[in-house]
Amino acid sequence: MQYGKPSRTALAAACHRAAHQVLEQGRIFADPLALTILGADAQTIAQQAEEKPSGRRMRLFIAVRARFAEDALAAAFESGTRQAVVLGAGLDTYAYRNPFGNRLRVFEVDHPATQAWKRQLLENAAIPLPGSLTFVPVDFERETLARRLAAAGFDRTQQTFFTWLGVVPYLKQEAVWSTLAFTASLPNGAHVVFDYADPPASLPTEMRASHESRARRVAALGEAWVTYFEPERLHAELVELGFAEIEDLGPAQIVSRYFPGRAGSLPDKGGHVIRATTIHRRK
Ligand SMILES: C[S@@+](CC[C@H](N)C(=O)[O-])C[C@H]1O[C@@H](n2cnc3c(N)ncnc32)[C@H](O)[C@@H]1O
């Protein structure tokens, strides 16, 4: 991220969610606040998205990861989770649509500059701040998440759900693993959902070229992708940390779950969304 400036990729992700509401009628991920938080009108958002047809794949991936995370959070709530942390929240609107009201406490953690900008957008859009929400400004690369959360009233004895969407690729591996180790250390268990990508060297040639051009674009925004994972190694390291149950949807599983009618061969490399929990092991 550029020092002291809000995340440009957070804006891009929010525009994708808004465009998904208009172009695909929110079919994968319905978010009634996606346009509101941007102060955008449907026609302009749709037009901007249609000017870049190559953005469709990313738009749908962003819709899928949000849907997967919110479905997993709803399931965790059903099984007793009452605390959630949205890590690197950007313009995510879950906290303002929280279907569980005061029964689910939500902490929104983000880089201070992005969070200040979001709070201004929320005010501009007259989106009320629910009593269940606490903002926690943190720079993952420079500060300890545990300390900042504790100071904000986070209860580490509560079973907690962490969503961490569109953030891991931008962080150095040390920051990723220290955050995952913190989530795994909670005494009464945690769930985490995050997304990641296969290493570029493992992509087929044509896919690697389009990956590289997207990577150049985000790097030009000052937010380079620096972390990738090879799935088997990632899973082994998560198990090592104490995660017992892991559900990893790679490109082929994403297509079969969310786009079952799609024709053609299934890609087996690209973006993944993963859910891991420490809870079963403790039962
Ligand atoms: C691509 S955006 C994703 C935002 C949101 N989760 C979404 O899906 O729309 C990346 C987010 O990571 C946050 N981020 C990047 N580096 C960070 C850091 N070092 N500390 C805290 N947040 C960071 C940015 O502020 C931004 O909100």
Side-chain angles (χ1 to χ4, degrees):
M1 290 190 46
Q2 291 179 341
Y3 188 74
K5 297 210 174 135
S7 163
R8 303 266 306 271
T9 60
L11 176 60
C15 289
H16 279 307
R17 281 190 295 273
H20 175 62
Q21 308 311 305
V22 188
L23 298 177
E24 287 93 23
Q25 294 75 48
R27 189 165 48 79
I28 306 291
F29 177 64
D31 179 351
L33 295 176
L35 282 156
T36 318
I37 191 165
L38 289 168
D41 71 273
Q43 202 185 343
T44 311
I45 282 286
Q47 197 177 327
Q48 283 167 353
E50 279 173 330
E51 276 163 15
K52 287 192 207 134
S54 62
R56 182 171 181 271
R57 181 190 279 251
M58 182 58 93
R59 176 169 79 246
L60 294 177
F61 180 73
I62 285 173
V64 163
R65 76 186 185 198
R67 166 72 181 277
F68 179 78
E70 293 194 12
D71 284 352
L73 173 49
F77 182 86
E78 290 308 318
S79 62
T81 300
R82 294 291 179 268
Q83 185 167 252
V85 181
V86 185
L87 292 169
L91 301 184
D92 185 287
T93 64
Y94 181 80
Y96 317 92
R97 299 179 278 106
N98 173 359
F100 308 111
N102 284 334
R103 291 180 297 152
L104 180 72
R105 186 140 192 226
V106 180
F107 293 84
E108 268 201 11
V109 174
D110 208 343
H111 196 280
T114 307
Q115 197 163 82
W117 165 67
K118 178 183 197 170
R119 294 183 73 155
Q120 189 60 57
L121 290 184
L122 288 163
E123 194 179 317
N124 296 349
I127 296 175
L129 305 185
S132 52
L133 167 67
T134 304
F135 289 107
V136 190
V138 179
D139 181 341
F140 296 129
E141 305 272 13
R142 294 164 196 242
E143 298 169 286
T144 318
L145 175 63
R147 202 171 310 140
R148 299 307 303 265
L149 274 175
F154 175 80
D155 179 357
R156 60 172 280 110
T157 66
Q158 285 260 348
Q159 193 179 103
T160 304
F161 192 100
F162 293 85
T163 63
W164 203 13
L165 302 179
V167 187
V168 164
Y170 299 97
L171 302 180
K172 295 190 190 102
Q173 292 245 353
E174 304 88 272
V176 174
W177 287 112
S178 74
T179 299
L180 287 170
F182 165 67
T183 65
S185 75
L186 297 189
N188 290 306
H191 307 267
V192 60
V193 170
F194 65 94
D195 56 315
Y196 72 96
D198 287 296
S202 70
L203 302 178
T205 317
E206 191 188 313
M207 207 177 203
R208 196 180 321 163
S210 72
H211 169 85
E212 277 163 8
S213 96
R214 281 201 308 278
R216 275 195 297 275
R217 282 204 297 275
V218 291
L221 297 176
E223 297 175 50
W225 289 331
V226 294
T227 284
Y228 299 88
F229 288 111
E230 196 274 307
E232 284 75 26
R233 263 182 84 172
L234 172 65
H235 301 171
E237 292 188 42
L238 287 171
V239 168
E240 190 78 10
L241 270 185
F243 287 98
E245 187 185 305
I246 295 171
E247 182 184 24
D248 185 335
L249 302 190
Q253 292 87 356
I254 287 175
V255 170
S256 16
R257 183 175 299 187
Y258 296 103
F259 309 95
R262 178 186 179 273
S265 61
L266 296 178
D268 70 346
K269 300 280 182 197
H272 293 239
V273 61
I274 183 168
R275 175 183 70 80
T277 176
T278 59
I279 287 166
H280 281 232
R281 182 170 285 191
R282 293 194 162 83
K283 275 188 178 163

